[in-house]
Amino acid sequence: MTRNTEYRGPVECRELGRFVGQVMDLGGQTPTSLGKSIYGPGRSTWYALMNGEQDISPTLLATIIREFAPRGDQHLLQEQAKHFLSEAKRARAGKGLPAVAQKPAFPIVVEAVAEVIWGSAESVFVRDTANPRRTGELLAEHLPWDRTIPADLSVRYPIGDTIAGHFVTDRNGTHFTERHGQLSPWHQWVRIYQRGATFRATVSRVTARGDVFIDLQHGGTSRIVPSQVTGELVKGTQLEVTIRSILPKQRCINVTRSGWSAPAPTPTRASSVDLALLTGCPQEGERMGATVTSPRPEKAFILLALDGYPQLPGNSLAMLYHTAMSTPLKEALLGDQVRVGDRLFVEVLLARPDLKRSGKVQVHVREIPEGPVDTALPGSEENVEADSPHSGEN
């Protein structure tokens, strides 16, 4: 004898449940898929909603209609939803059945175009252009996965700018996000973009100072520095690039244009053997994380070990001079507050054979912020100084 699990309550409640199921079908969803989504209820609750055992909240029903139904059908479906909800409520009351309590469905997600009304380095506040009563906070963590995190959000998003995204309301309040429903692609990119591999790319933007921003073949963005640009590159140009390194924490993919090689240093004292040392060195313009190995406040510089280059030729270390440091780092160094193991994010200024010490190389770097303002990704219309830490570097 099989167990009958079908709910035997009021027919109006079951009709509401069937309506919920129809809306789910419009989006190709099932109780299992929705139970793993952002819409609140788990799988068992969705089954309870579908068979009429539990009445869906008006807010959640309106949300899934907006998310799953064709735009032209949404108005009619919303009117039908009101009818089914009203009939289900009346049927329960008429049979003396208690209404099944349902917790508010969170998060509540509203697609919108928002206007920036106030900003700071850490966050900006935005207002829905279609509903001025709806406001929210945009944090760096809510930027798209392929966008760098600027040092000052108010510079990237000045007052009056408009942003397309979603207002998301949960138990902690309302915030605004540009990456609603997007999963982080970085675990895939780390697997795909192996160092030394070559991929196709498409030019997406060229700045006035010659930086070329590109979209990589399997997603992600990067930058080719002016020194690697030969000939005229315009938006839409196809080219091949070679992966130098990938830094998920900094959202940084460093690339080199395939077939390009750094020009040989001109000093006559550098032998051909010395020039061969550059094979294991980073290239000018490459950006990466670095670890402090030896702070030298008395000489106003810091020695660094570069991520991705654990062993430079001749056990050399990168040098960061005080003239290439930010003011806070410079003050910390002079105050003897920089410690071995501290982390920085740097850009290579120079990489060449050491003219005084055979078998070693000189690598000079400058400090840049992690996800700096001067590193905006292609597709953004920020200041030209906002290049991407996905530099070509990203």
Side-chain angles (χ1 to χ4, degrees), residues 104-128:
F106 286 122
I108 299 171
V109 183
V110 178
E111 185 176 3
V113 174
E115 178 185 6
V116 177
I117 56 176
W118 182 83
S120 69
E122 295 77 24
S123 65
V124 296
F125 285 86
V126 299
R127 176 173 52 213
D128 190 345

Side-chain angles (χ1 to χ4, degrees), residues 265 270-271 274-278 351-355 357 360-362:
S271 67
D274 291 332
L275 295 180
L277 296 173
L278 294 178
R352 69 184 180 190
D354 194 316
L355 302 181
R357 299 175 299 170
K360 293 183 177 292
V361 295
Q362 288 181 314

Side-chain angles (χ1 to χ4, degrees), residues 208-241:
R209 68 179 186 183
D211 288 320
V212 176
F213 292 91
I214 58 173
D215 293 333
L216 295 172
Q217 177 180 352
H218 297 289
T221 55
S222 191
R223 176 175 70 99
I224 298 175
V225 295
S227 61
Q228 298 178 18
V229 176
T230 56
E232 183 178 358
L233 293 178
V234 297
K235 184 175 181 180
T237 301
Q238 301 284 318
L239 67 162
E240 288 193 345
V241 295

Side-chain angles (χ1 to χ4, degrees), residues 290-322:
T291 303
V292 174
T293 60
S294 179
R296 304 285 181 85
E298 71 283 359
K299 295 185 178 181
F301 69 80
I302 299 173
L303 295 178
L304 301 167
L306 303 180
D307 292 355
Y309 301 91
Q311 189 91 25
L312 291 174
N315 293 322
S316 305
L317 293 167
M319 300 187 71
L320 173 61
Y321 287 97
H322 73 283

